[in-house]
Structures are given as C-alpha cells and as structure tokens.
Amino acid sequence: MVTALFFATSGLAQNAIGYQKPPAAIEQLLDAPPTPSASVSPNGATLLIAEPQSFPTIAEVAQPRYRLAGIRFNPRNSGPSVTADSISLRLQATSPGSPKAITGLPLNLRASDASWSPDSKHIAFVQRAPTELQLWVIDVAAAHAHRVGLVKLNAVLGRPCVWLPNSSGLVCKTISSTRGSAPKTSDVPTGPHISENLGKVTPAPTYEDMLSTPDDENIFEYYASSELAEVPLIGPVHALPVKGLIASLSLSPNGHYALAGIHHRPFSYTVPYERFPLKTEILPLKSGGAKVLHDAPVIDNLPISRDAVEPGPRDYQWRSDVPATLVWVEAANDGLPTPKAPVADYVKALPAPFTGEPTTILEAPLRLARGFGAGRSISWGNDHLAVATVSRFSDRKSMILAFDPSTPGKITTLYQGSSQDRYRNPGRPLTVTNENGHPVLKLTPDGSALYFVSEGASPTGDKPFLATMPLAGGKETILFRSADPYYIQPIDLLPGDRLLVRRESQIESPNYFIASLAAPSEPLTQITSFPSPYAGINMPSHQLLHYKRADGLELTATLWLPYGYDKSQGPLPTLMEAYPAEFKTRAAAAQVAGSTNRFPTFGWGGSPVYFTQIGYAVLENAAIPIIGEGDKQPNDTYVEQLVDGAKAGVEAGVATGTVDRSRVAVMGHSYGAFMTANLLAHTDIFRAGIARSGAYNRTLTPYGFQNEERTYWQATEVYHDMSPFSFADKIKTPILLIHGEADDNTGTFPIQSERFYAALKGQGATVRLVFLPLEPHHYGAHESLQHMLWEMGRWLDTYVKPQALPTNKPGE
C-alpha cells in the first residue's frame, strides 16, 4: 500500500513532498468555524448548544487504530477512531435571553453522544479522554457538569449508554475490570491463512476492513466485548449479567427490561460485524436472568438485491407507547424479493412476560427497512395507532400506512407513490418524547390528525413545512411553511402552540427561532445569535440555473461566481462538479433539489466552491440523471446519458456569459470520480479532470455497485462499458487522482486508483496520483484537506486557467 505523498513530474521520477497549503483566500474558508447545533429538551424549555470541533490534526488522526470487522476503533480508549466531538457546551432557554455557561466541564472537552434525561433535568455525554471514555452528566438547573460512576465505557460497537426511563441513571456498555491483557500477535507466521466455501452461494459486496486471520478475530473480540452496568446518578454502579459483543441496547418504556443484541462467533471474513451471528436477549433489570429470544446465523447469502433481507425475526424493538411490548419483523417468502406478493413483511408483537405466542399486528405490502428499530420505519402512537413507512427498491414504490396495533388488518394508506417523487412526498410523522424518554407520534388535540414535517420540495426549491395529515386519509393542512428569502426548517413543537425552527438565508447564518402557530403572521422570535463564520471574507454569489438536456429533460445546477465579478470581465475558467443519480422516471429526474436560500457551508473541504476564491466560476451539483423507466435499467445507457447531462450543464453555464467553454474542468468524489473518468474517456469538452476516492474498474466490484443490482456475470457488457479503466487508452485529458490511503467505503479500494494510474501512465496520459495517508473515504485531517485543496488548485491553474494548454516534456 502506498502511504506517502508523491510529486510526480513524469513517469521517471517521484519525489516526496510535505503537506502543502492552498492560497490564503481558500484557507480562510476552510478554517471558518462550523455553526453550532442545538438539541431541545423533552419538555421543550431548554436547548443544549454544542460547538463542533473543527478539523482534527493529522497527529490526532494518526492515533492507534484497528481496522477490523468493517469498523475502525482506537484500542487505547475503546472508542471509534474518528468521532464528531463537541468542544464547547452551553445551555439556552427556548425564549429570548443569553446562553448560560456550564461549569465543571472537562478542561479539554471532547464530548459526544449527548442525550437528555426523560425528565429534562440532566444531560449525559461521553467524554473522550486519551485512554478511556468517561460518562459525564450535566445538572441543567445548576448548569454544572460532573463525572458519574467512574466506569470506563466501551463504544467500539456504537453508542454506549441509554437513560433509565425514570431518569435516575443510565445503563451502559462498560469495560470489565477483569478483562486482562490484549491478545498478542506474532510477526512470525504459524501457518497459512485459509478461506474456503463448500458450494454455498454467498455473494457479497466488496466491503472494506474485514477480518482475515484468527489474530484479527481475537483482537476484535477482545476490544469490542463489553458488559452491561446500571450507573445511577447517585450511588454505586450495579453490574448486570449481560456481556459479550453487545451492539444494540434499549430499555422498555417502564424501565423493567433491557433488550440487547449480542454478536458472537463464528465470525465471517467476507461481511462486517453487523452481519455476524446475532443473539437477541432480554434482561429483567431487577431480578436478572437474561432470556434468549432469538439466535440468528451469519448473514452472508443474501441475493444482490436491495429488496432482499434475511429470513426469520429481525430488528427487535420496544413499542414506545406501552409499558413493555416487544416488536419485530419477519419477512415473507424467506426474505427473497417478491414484487407481486401481497405481503412482504410481517410485524409481530409480544407483551411481557414474553412467554406466549406473538401476534401479527401488520402485514406490510412492501418492505420495512432493515434496522427499523431505530424509528426509521415505524412510529408508535397509542393502542389504536402506529404509522409504518414501507418501500420497494425495484420500482421505487413507497407507502405510508396508519395501522391499528390492536386490530390486525385495519390499515389506512396515508400516502403512496414513488420514493423519488420529492414534490408529492409528505415527509415524516413528527414525534415527541414521552415521559419515559421514548418517541411517540404527535397528534392534534382532537386526535384526528398527525403532525408531519416535510422538506417541501417544489419547482422553486425546497420550502420546508409543518402540516397536519388526517388519519382518515386526505390532503394535509399546512400550518407553517418556509418562504423566500429564507430557508426555515421546523425542528420541534413546543408547549403553547410554539414551533422551534432553524432559519437561514444566503446572507444570514443559521439560528434558532420561535414561530407562533396560533398567530403565524407574527414575526419569528430569535433565540440564538450565532455569528456568521465568514465575517470579513469576500463571499461568492450564486444562482440556480434551469436548462434542458438534449432529449428535453429539465435539469438544474448552481452557478457560483467570485465576489465582485462582473460579466464585463469576460467568461471565467470553470470547475463543474456533479454526482450521477439513478431514476426510474423522467418526472422524478427533472425535479429540483435543494434551495438557493441556504447559507453557504463548505463542510469537510470537498466543496468545489472554494475555487471561486481564486477566480473560477463553479457549476455545483450539476444534475446528471441516469434514467431507466419501466423494465429498462438506468445503467444500460449510462454513458450516453452521462455525456448528454454534462454537455447540457456546460452549455447552460456558457449561455450565462460567465463560463468559458474552452476552459472547463470536471470533478467528482466517489461515484462522482467514476463519472469524471468516464467523461474524460468519452468526451472532449473538458480541459482537465479531478477524481477523488473513486472506483474505475467494475470487474473489481462484481456483485453490484451503487444502485446496480445485477452481477458482473449477468451484465458483463454493462460492467465493461461503464468502466473507465476499459477506455484508459482514450483518456488524453489531464486527470488528477486523489485517494484516501485508508479508504473505508464499499467498493472504492485504494487499489482502484493505483491500477487506474498505472493504466493511464502506460498509455502516456497526463496523470497525477495523490494518496493521503491515514485518510478514509472522506478525508478529515486539517493537513490532508489543505493539501487536497492545494493539489486541486495547482491542477486547475496549470491545465484550465491558461488560454492555451501547457506542453509536458519527459523529465520536466
């Protein structure tokens, strides 16, 4: 594996260089502080304001880590190797006033997994220390924080703690004090490493970071194993008799039972830990004595279909609206895709003490998503109301169903249509936290309708709204809707007909406000006052372009122009960025996504808009739809549609008088990198290309990729024709390849860029390959992002900005 950065001026010499920095104007944008986030208390009275950490240094990223079973974790503190930490916490009432500082916080705050207690009196969070994860709690009334329990938490397999419903403490995954020393590995092999398959059909995507040796298995099991403990706010810690590879943990609404999902051997070397054998246990917290509900085998033989799931029970959860009832899903037809079958999934329920026969409370005509226990597919209301969202990938059909858990078969269809139809989709039902800390559906006072929150997609952009939807079916009634020039997101309903919203505009940074539902025409009341992170920076302007593809399909792109630019200065060198998307209908492909009313943010450094600061026009998010209607598959005409979409985007920019047709570059990340290489192979409309963290040879992902469900052997020609590697001899346009040396994304192995570079170099192409040490699919270290932007800017300035292309000579 290549782990150093190289500066290659030819195929003859490669000289190591250090991390470089982009121009100061780009650096200013990169280093602008991120906007704080807010979490509202269950009673709606208080916000926890969290300031996220900016980019970590390469030294932080270089902390010890293991890459095993599809995850990456730090063996020193038994947490994930990369976390989204908060470096500042404060409290703010949901009424006008100043924020309140919190005393007692750790000196070097690195907080994650913050959660409110059900009674809104405390906030728990995980403090990431160098050698351990600690549990801390904030007393909201006193605005004071302190460590609780002195336990060492284990977050290798996810969030470590959940609140007890009575708010007296938490149940946590902890490291056993008797765990012993870590397994030793030897540099001297004791024999070969062997994998075998004895005739079983086990197709699998090309996952990263799999187990591969018995040593890997032992190390993973050692660090990922934990034991449950009850950690009260006051008093001693109480150990619970559940231990092992605990992945999921939830408590019954009445607080009497814990539900745990525990993975175990035999492990697989081809799938991540989420598909390892899984034992689901239920534990009475007072009496102990865990009971096994189900023990599922390894999931390694699913068909390559988004509609296929494992047979047998899956996704256990608690009904959140009753004291202690378990619910789970069982697939019809052994989990195989059944487009014409009347039932795809059965939802089963079993109340405490979990000894009788389960009841089927819903026969779902489409599939409930895997992991529905996280609230993605079912929201619970009361004895006679729950709402399920079901879908089928093959034809993109989606439905929202209201059903009666007490009367099987009593179902009302609230919505059905395409999952890709953003204009008609009503959004998601709004939930509130009940007295036990569980989410339940929010109903209108008379109980006749649900509250729904939607992104409000429209031909003029997203305009989020809050609405009520009658349970008897019918059109929703909009109570609040975002209006120009703002982008306003409904966040939560508060007591007194108040709605917490997050408002922003092109020139105003996001802040939190209160809207009155009783008097919607009244001005919003501002709660927070986060300053603009870009104060003093000359910001680019932007507009939404509407244009048509050659076949008449309506498309959009966002055109960004440098600060102070005027058309009298002439058309600009341009960078076009896109990410192709598959659709089953032309109507869905033509819909507008996003909003020009949003405040500019540039995220982790991947945005193309940085380059407006050094004189480029940018066509951001140029729509590149790949459509396959009816029985046709989108990828059967991928290249043709890709080229037509790219040409249309460039011509739309040229028509504004701001884009110089002869000086346009194209870039993309991941599937956008794949797009970039294909466009350079099949067109001559670009001066240069920049491809980051891509896959270029589809024979290396033979069991599907992106949304392609056919295997290489079922669609050999498609795999060949879509692979830019197949056309490396046709790429004469300069291309910059950037890749994280430790890419963790399915299918985009670093070898994809390594082999593509070798193919291009062998054909005499102008190509540069940059591996960023230690970086995953999305790069994180400050130094890596600085260097990435330097590389991109240098490539553009060399091959795009000049009126004439430079001539490369061997050895120069």
Side-chain angles (χ1 to χ4, degrees):
M1 179 61 63
V2 180
T3 58
L5 299 175
F6 295 104
F7 181 89
T9 57
S10 73
L12 302 178
Q14 295 183 332
N15 305 309
I17 63 170
Y19 288 108
Q20 303 296 308
K21 294 183 178 182
I26 290 179
E27 186 90 7
Q28 276 186 304
L29 281 189
L30 180 67
D31 290 344
T35 300
S37 63
S39 169
V40 63
S41 60
N43 64 9
T46 311
L47 299 177
L48 174 67
I49 307 297
E51 180 184 338
Q53 179 188 17
S54 294
F55 307 114
T57 66
I58 193 67
E60 292 178 276
V61 173
Q63 292 296 305
R65 65 176 169 182
Y66 282 112
R67 300 165 50 179
L68 299 171
I71 55 174
R72 298 176 179 191
F73 58 89
N74 185 335
R76 289 183 178 173
N77 60 20
S78 295
S81 61
V82 177
T83 57
D85 292 337
S86 297
I87 58 173
S88 173
L89 298 174
R90 58 187 187 273
L91 300 172
Q92 168 77 58
T94 55
S95 56
S98 300
K100 184 186 295 185
I102 300 171
T103 61
L105 290 168
L107 291 178
N108 183 27
L109 181 66
R110 288 293 185 270
S112 65
D113 298 311
S115 61
W116 285 91
S117 62
D119 64 6
S120 300
K121 294 180 180 180
H122 294 90
I123 303 166
F125 67 88
V126 176
Q127 165 66 6
R128 180 169 60 89
T131 59
E132 62 182 9
L133 301 182
Q134 306 166 353
L135 176 62
W136 284 66
V137 168
I138 301 168
D139 183 315
V140 175
H144 181 77
H146 63 284
R147 187 177 178 184
V148 174
L150 300 181
V151 293
K152 295 182 179 181
L153 304 177
N154 191 327
V156 170
L157 298 185
R159 195 181 189 109
C161 296
V162 294
W163 277 99
L164 288 162
N166 64 7
S167 300
S168 63
L170 301 97
V171 174
C172 297
K173 295 186 286 186
T174 66
I175 296 172
S176 172
S177 59
T178 60
R179 180 167 72 168
S181 300
K184 301 291 185 182
T185 59
S186 174
D187 293 332
V188 179
T190 59
H193 302 145
I194 298 171
S195 298
E196 70 176 3
N197 184 69
L198 303 179
K200 182 181 178 182
V201 178
T202 55
T206 45
Y207 294 113
E208 305 270 8
D209 300 338
M210 296 297 96
L211 301 176
S212 60
T213 68
D215 282 346
D216 286 351
E217 296 187 54
N218 294 334
I219 292 169
F220 168 72
E221 188 171 45
Y222 174 84
Y223 285 106
S225 293
S226 58
E227 58 185 25
L228 292 187
E230 186 175 334
V231 186
L233 297 181
I234 300 173
V237 173
H238 172 56
L240 298 172
V242 175
K243 60 181 62 178
L245 299 170
I246 305 171
S248 62
L249 171 65
S250 61
L251 304 181
S252 61
N254 64 7
H256 294 175
Y257 303 94
L259 179 68
I262 307 169
H263 293 285
H264 60 83
R265 293 175 183 264
F267 302 146
S268 170
Y269 287 10
T270 59
V271 296
Y273 85 89
E274 293 95 339
R275 295 192 171 199
F276 289 178
L278 177 66
K279 181 170 57 177
T280 302
E281 291 188 359
I282 190 163
L283 171 72
L285 292 178
K286 298 300 181 183
S287 61
K291 173 184 176 181
V292 176
L293 297 169
H294 182 63
D295 196 351
V298 66
I299 306 170
D300 66 353
N301 62 345
L302 292 184
I304 302 299
S305 168
R306 296 288 186 89
D307 293 321
V309 296
E310 66 272 26
R314 72 177 196 272
D315 299 321
Y316 283 84
Q317 66 158 279
W318 296 106
R319 260 190 66 173
S320 59
D321 60 317
V322 293
T325 294
L326 282 173
V327 184
W328 64 92
V329 182
E330 293 187 21
N333 194 38
D334 291 328
L336 298 175
T338 52
K340 297 182 180 180
V343 178
D345 276 336
Y346 298 97
V347 179
K348 308 274 187 175
L350 183 65
F354 320 111
T355 55
E357 289 296 318
T359 300
T360 298
I361 60 174
L362 175 65
E363 294 183 351
L366 306 177
R367 189 77 73 204
L368 287 100
R370 292 192 80 255
F372 92 114
R376 291 190 300 157
S377 294
I378 296 186
S379 299
W380 304 99
N382 53 47
D383 284 343
H384 298 288
L385 176 65
V387 173
T389 300
V390 297
S391 62
R392 182 169 56 223
F393 179 81
S394 61
D395 58 2
R396 311 306 195 268
K397 185 176 182 180
S398 176
M399 302 175 72
I400 301 177
L401 310 173
F403 68 98
D404 186 338
S406 301
T407 309
K410 188 176 180 181
I411 302 172
T412 301
T413 300
L414 301 180
Y415 168 79
Q416 64 177 327
S418 170
S419 59
Q420 297 182 320
D421 186 352
R422 301 183 71 249
Y423 291 175
R424 290 186 60 241
N425 194 312
R428 58 177 176 81
L430 185 67
T431 60
V432 294
T433 303
N434 65 13
E435 67 277 7
N436 298 317
H438 288 247
V440 292
L441 291 166
K442 175 67 176 177
L443 301 177
T444 55
D446 63 3
S448 66
L450 295 165
Y451 288 91
F452 262 70
V453 176
S454 171
E455 280 298 314
S458 76
T460 57
D462 290 352
K463 292 179 169 59
F465 64 78
L466 173 73
T468 56
M469 178 177 288
L471 289 170
K475 189 172 178 59
E476 70 269 11
T477 299
I478 295 178
L479 305 179
F480 175 90
R481 185 163 197 154
S482 179
D484 296 337
Y486 298 107
Y487 179 85
I488 309 176
Q489 291 176 285
I491 302 299
D492 209 346
L493 277 173
L494 305 180
D497 278 337
R498 298 183 304 153
L499 176 66
L500 180 68
V501 300
R502 186 177 186 265
R503 191 184 82 176
E504 60 189 283
S505 72
Q506 284 196 22
I507 58 175
E508 292 183 17
S509 59
N511 269 289
Y512 291 85
F513 293 75
I514 298 294
S516 172
L517 296 181
S521 61
E522 290 186 359
L524 302 182
T525 301
Q526 187 165 354
I527 300 301
T528 63
S529 299
F530 306 143
S532 170
Y534 307 126
I537 300 176
N538 292 331
M539 297 295 290
S541 61
H542 63 287
Q543 61 180 294
L544 187 67
L545 299 184
H546 293 264
Y547 54 96
K548 291 184 178 181
R549 203 167 70 174
D551 61 358
L553 185 70
E554 296 182 352
L555 304 177
T556 59
T558 301
L559 173 64
W560 292 80
L561 297 170
Y563 174 83
Y565 167 79
D566 186 88
K567 288 185 182 179
S568 63
Q569 299 169 15
L572 297 171
T574 301
L575 177 60
M576 176 177 149
E577 176 266 346
Y579 189 95
E582 296 94 338
F583 294 91
K584 287 301 293 180
T585 67
R586 288 174 57 88
Q591 292 185 354
V592 175
S595 170
T596 55
N597 291 335
R598 303 208 68 168
F599 187 71
T601 55
F602 307 105
W604 59 277
S607 171
V609 182
Y610 285 101
F611 298 97
T612 59
Q613 303 302 88
I614 56 172
Y616 290 85
V618 169
L619 288 166
E620 182 193 33
N621 195 26
I624 307 285
I626 310 297
I627 306 165
E629 294 189 299
D631 294 332
K632 297 180 180 178
Q633 296 301 315
N635 286 339
D636 291 344
T637 54
Y638 170 85
V639 171
E640 296 91 329
Q641 295 190 66
L642 186 74
V643 171
D644 286 349
K647 286 181 176 178
V650 171
E651 290 303 317
V654 170
T656 68
T658 63
V659 171
D660 185 342
R661 178 186 284 107
S662 65
R663 294 187 295 161
V664 180
V666 62
M667 68 159 282
H669 189 90
S670 193
Y671 205 53
F674 176 69
M675 168 207 74
T676 296
N678 265 307
L679 285 172
L680 299 192
H682 299 289
T683 76
D684 58 1
I685 60 178
F686 298 105
R687 267 282 193 94
I690 300 172
R692 298 188 316 227
S693 296
Y696 309 102
N697 183 349
R698 285 302 168 198
T699 68
L700 298 179
T701 57
Y703 287 103
F705 57 90
Q706 202 70 1
N707 289 321
E708 177 58 64
E709 295 186 308
R710 295 168 295 183
T711 70
Y712 168 78
W713 298 275
Q714 294 170 324
T716 304
E717 188 174 345
V718 169
Y719 276 67
H720 174 273
D721 291 351
M722 286 184 67
S723 296
F725 184 89
S726 304
F727 304 94
D729 61 325
K730 307 298 184 185
I731 297 178
K732 305 304 180 185
T733 304
I735 182 169
L736 171 64
L737 304 175
I738 302 176
H739 215 120
E741 173 265 333
D743 196 325
D744 57 349
N745 183 59
T746 300
T748 53
F749 294 106
I751 196 173
Q752 288 272 4
S753 287
E754 185 181 329
R755 293 291 86 203
F756 192 42
Y757 170 77
L760 291 170
K761 184 168 73 73
Q763 293 294 325
T766 298
V767 58
R768 178 178 173 87
L769 172 60
V770 179
F771 275 117
L772 296 174
L774 305 176
E775 292 294 353
H777 192 61
H778 289 95
Y779 326 135
H782 190 224
E783 293 88 341
S784 297
L785 298 175
Q786 289 175 315
H787 190 89
M788 176 194 73
L789 293 169
W790 176 79
E791 291 278 2
M792 294 172 65
R794 177 179 173 275
W795 199 255
L796 294 172
D797 284 351
T798 301
Y799 295 107
V800 180
K801 184 170 284 187
Q803 292 294 336
L805 275 172
T807 301
N808 291 332
K809 296 180 181 179
E812 290 187 347

